[in-house]
Amino acid sequence: MRDPDDVLRDGLLTIGRFARLCRLSVKQLRHYDDTGLLPPARVDPATGYRYYAPGQARDALTVALLRELDVPLPVIAATLASAEPERARLLRAERDRVAERITRDRARLELLERLADGGGLPGYEITLGREPRRRLAVVRAVAGPGELAERIDGSVGRLLAALDGTPWRPPLWGLFPLDLADGMRIAVGAQSAEEADALPDGLEREVLPGGPTVETVHHGPYTQLPLAYHALMAAVHERGLRPLAPVREAYLVGPGEAPAEEWTTRLVVRVEERTEETA
Amino acid sequence: MRDPDDVLRDGLLTIGRFARLCRLSVKQLRHYDDTGLLPPARVDPATGYRYYAPGQARDALTVALLRELDVPLPVIAATLASAEPERARLLRAERDRVAERITRDRARLELLERLADGGGLPGYEITLGREPRRRLAVVRAVAGPGELAERIDGSVGRLLAALDGTPWRPPLWGLFPLDLADGMRIAVGAQSAEEADALPDGLEREVLPGGPTVETVHHGPYTQLPLAYHALMAAVHERGLRPLAPVREAYLVGPGEAPAEEWTTRLVVRVEERTEETA
DNA sequence: AATGGACCCTCCCACGGCGGGAGGGTCCAC
DNA sequence: GTGGACCCTCCCGCCGTGGGAGGGTCCATT
């Protein structure tokens, strides 16, 4: 039927040549064949040699381009296989993924700056104290991974709106679980100015028990708070103390009051009362 | 020797409790034990149970913090084991890594924006043409991965300095290999105004042969050039043509002349002359 | 002393996207 | 016919976990 030399007359390319043309490696092309992403135009049944048609260069170059943009192979496959409205949707989803990574990397960068230039991990002064019992009016929210900042922002907005006209005693408080995993249930609240206070509409009551605490104060933007928590929790555990949820943040100086470097946040973690004590 | 109950009297913690305290998973702690990064204070020889001391919380929290910053485990190990000047150096190296990733992600983001909003991959008008033979005076450079932009910037600076006082005919040209791998040898040059020209000091001669070409024009910032190359090379290969290095860029409108959206770049790839022709 | 449930152990597999290399066949030009 | 460039398949390794199988331990309650 087919003269074997047809391969060349058809203008088919060997895998090595095709790889160089499309800025892909031979390994990559074989992998894309195995996974069905980009099968060669012809595979010699006797030798297993792969031959690619020049018309496949467009797809191969698309794959190369999208790989440089760090798009996962399954998404590339879907992109090649789908038509226009869907294709744009896939690419927008990838764009969002990259945008989010940039956001998180920026926070990482700030922390690493401070870690490197601050000469390592020290620098937080830890104090042991006692907190009185506090009755707060709070707004609650659940924050998925990476959306903590916006959830807090939104909650503060709702809180201040609900507090409108009601006297309250600064600072604002933030309440967080000990476990900083995803799906965090957080709360933002304020303490009323009067002792026996009414609860404004739209807010819930949260009573914070009093007791012994371990505390520190953080100066700087909130992206650097993990450093302060690190020092705080290390201090708690080194003293053999048991932390009690929720962890409390008091926003002494916050956004709108000063540039980010001067924001001041007091971190408070209540610990179990020591009863039968030794050292 | 030791009462087994000492474990509790010593305040040692089981792996699950320690994991919750330090915001690490049990799997992670076991892995850190296996790799020697964070071995438990005590391992029961009979049962294999791991027990952690409260004093290990500081290191464990440091590991958790640095992992959130995407620092690789070997670097974390080095950080824990090394003293101050070295520790800061390691962290600065990680900071640089993150900073570079942000830079590259920003370029990716721009491309994905254009791909998604531009409705996919079309939009480049391809033309077939002929280029005359050109004699350029060039500056050469080698660009590692990710430093292409700065190498070109630097080369243009050196070129313009060396051309000072010598008449030359716009535009500037950039010459690139077909294979966009790392360790690229690139060149930036200009064509002299006179036919029989002298070579200014510090520059080298590059003669670009004439012949048939495939061309397109790109409007926009240089980070989006890969899209244009994608269309250009796809067109070359679909026509069964063989591209010939170097690929040439002519900077018709460039930085300093207009905002980035209006930069105009002509991309030219010379192809093999067709002799024995069919279709 | 038994039971049950929460906890712990080890070992293996999987992910993504290749690169490296072993061991062996094929192509093609000289 | 011969050598060297090219191609094939298969397997391992990376990195840092998560998932799960299959089985032991701990401890509080009955």
Side-chain angles (χ1 to χ4, degrees):
Chain A
M1 312 294 201
R2 279 179 82 89
D3 180 339
D5 284 2
D6 271 359
V7 165
L8 288 179
R9 291 211 197 91
D10 289 354
L12 292 183
L13 304 160
T14 61
I15 195 170
R17 198 179 296 273
F18 190 68
R20 279 191 297 275
L21 293 181
C22 300
R23 310 192 317 265
L24 291 165
S25 73
V26 171
K27 284 281 192 184
Q28 282 176 298
L29 284 172
R30 285 203 269 253
H31 185 51
Y32 301 159
D33 180 14
D34 293 344
T35 57
L37 172 59
L38 192 71
R42 201 174 94 82
V43 177
D44 188 313
T47 68
Y49 273 36
R50 295 169 178 86
Y51 296 96
Y52 292 84
Q56 302 191 272
R58 175 172 292 270
D59 277 1
L61 282 162
T62 301
V63 173
L65 176 65
L66 294 180
R67 277 308 297 149
E68 276 161 36
L69 302 184
D70 217 32
V71 178
L73 290 182
V75 177
I76 296 179
T79 305
L80 287 182
S82 61
E84 205 29 73
E86 173 69 1
R87 191 193 306 250
R89 203 189 54 74
L90 288 167
L91 291 172
R92 267 193 291 272
E94 283 307 307
R95 176 201 58 186
D96 294 345
R97 246 176 29 96
V98 174
E100 196 193 327
R101 192 170 55 197
I102 290 178
T103 305
R104 290 197 326 194
D105 273 349
R106 266 205 275 262
R108 286 198 252 259
L109 190 61
E110 271 188 61
L111 280 172
L112 282 169
E113 292 279 1
R114 181 143 171 171
L115 275 177
D117 295 345
L121 303 168
Y124 284 96
E125 204 169 310
I126 306 293
T127 56
L128 304 182
R130 281 198 87 84
E131 270 282 296
R133 179 164 168 281
R134 292 181 197 275
R135 302 173 72 213
L136 301 184
V138 304
V139 162
R140 301 185 197 280
V142 174
E147 51 180 34
L148 186 54
E150 48 183 306
R151 281 289 175 282
I152 295 179
D153 270 8
S155 299
V156 168
R158 283 196 290 143
L159 175 71
L160 292 178
L163 282 175
D164 191 49
T166 310
W168 56 280
R169 213 187 305 165
L172 290 180
W173 291 88
L175 307 179
F176 304 92
L178 281 171
D179 180 356
L180 297 185
D182 10 77
M184 289 200 309
R185 290 206 306 270
I186 65 170
V188 176
Q191 199 169 1
S192 297
E194 293 105 34
E195 190 53 29
D197 53 339
L199 194 63
D201 271 356
L203 301 186
E204 294 176 50
R205 171 73 68 213
E206 170 103 22
V207 177
L208 296 177
T213 61
V214 180
E215 311 185 10
T216 192
V217 172
H218 169 76
H219 296 278
Y222 297 142
T223 50
Q224 297 180 359
L225 273 176
L227 287 189
Y229 271 111
H230 175 260
L232 186 66
M233 297 315 276
V236 168
H237 295 309
E238 276 177 356
R239 286 169 176 75
L241 299 169
R242 295 286 169 86
L244 295 169
V247 176
R248 311 157 187 199
E249 299 181 354
Y251 306 104
L252 306 181
V253 177
E257 302 174 68
E261 303 78 47
E262 295 172 25
W263 294 352
T264 303
T265 310
R266 179 171 157 239
L267 307 183
V268 180
V269 57
R270 191 165 69 94
V271 295
E272 273 180 14
E273 195 90 46
R274 289 230 177 176
T275 50
E276 153 252 5
E277 190 54 52
T278 47
Chain B
M1 313 289 200
R2 279 178 82 90
D3 180 340
D5 284 5
D6 272 358
V7 164
L8 288 180
R9 292 212 196 89
D10 290 353
L12 291 183
L13 304 160
T14 61
I15 194 171
R17 196 179 297 272
F18 190 68
R20 278 190 299 274
L21 292 181
C22 300
R23 309 191 318 265
L24 291 164
S25 73
V26 171
K27 285 279 193 184
Q28 283 176 298
L29 284 173
R30 285 204 268 254
H31 185 50
Y32 301 159
D33 180 14
D34 292 345
T35 58
L37 172 60
L38 193 70
R42 202 173 93 82
V43 178
D44 187 313
T47 67
Y49 273 35
R50 296 170 178 84
Y51 296 97
Y52 292 84
Q56 301 189 272
R58 174 171 292 270
D59 276 0
L61 283 162
T62 301
V63 173
L65 175 65
L66 293 180
R67 278 307 297 151
E68 276 161 35
L69 302 184
D70 217 32
V71 177
L73 289 183
V75 178
I76 296 179
T79 305
L80 288 183
S82 61
E84 207 25 75
E86 173 69 0
R87 191 192 306 249
R89 204 189 54 75
L90 288 167
L91 291 172
R92 267 192 291 272
E94 284 308 307
R95 176 200 60 185
D96 294 345
R97 246 174 31 93
V98 173
E100 195 192 327
R101 193 169 55 196
I102 290 178
T103 305
R104 289 196 329 193
D105 273 349
R106 268 205 274 259
R108 285 199 252 259
L109 191 60
E110 271 188 60
L111 280 173
L112 282 169
E113 293 279 3
R114 182 142 170 171
L115 274 177
D117 296 345
L121 304 167
Y124 284 96
E125 204 170 312
I126 305 292
T127 58
L128 305 180
R130 280 199 87 84
E131 269 284 295
R133 179 166 169 281
R134 292 180 197 274
R135 302 173 71 213
L136 300 184
V138 303
V139 162
R140 300 184 196 280
V142 173
E147 51 181 32
L148 186 55
E150 48 183 306
R151 282 290 176 281
I152 296 179
D153 270 8
S155 300
V156 168
R158 282 195 292 144
L159 175 71
L160 292 178
L163 282 175
D164 192 48
T166 309
W168 57 280
R169 213 187 306 166
L172 289 181
W173 291 88
L175 308 178
F176 304 91
L178 281 171
D179 180 356
L180 297 184
D182 10 75
M184 288 200 309
R185 290 207 305 272
I186 65 169
V188 176
Q191 198 168 1
S192 298
E194 292 104 38
E195 190 52 30
D197 53 337
L199 194 62
D201 273 355
L203 300 186
E204 294 176 50
R205 170 73 66 213
E206 170 102 20
V207 176
L208 296 177
T213 60
V214 180
E215 311 184 9
T216 193
V217 172
H218 169 77
H219 296 277
Y222 297 143
T223 49
Q224 297 179 1
L225 274 175
L227 286 188
Y229 271 111
H230 175 259
L232 186 66
M233 297 314 275
V236 168
H237 295 311
E238 275 176 356
R239 286 168 175 75
L241 299 170
R242 296 285 170 85
L244 296 169
V247 177
R248 311 156 189 200
E249 299 181 353
Y251 306 105
L252 305 180
V253 177
E257 303 173 68
E261 302 79 46
E262 296 172 23
W263 295 352
T264 303
T265 309
R266 179 172 157 237
L267 307 184
V268 180
V269 57
R270 191 165 69 94
V271 295
E272 273 180 15
E273 194 90 46
R274 288 229 178 175
T275 50
E276 156 251 5
E277 191 54 52
T278 48

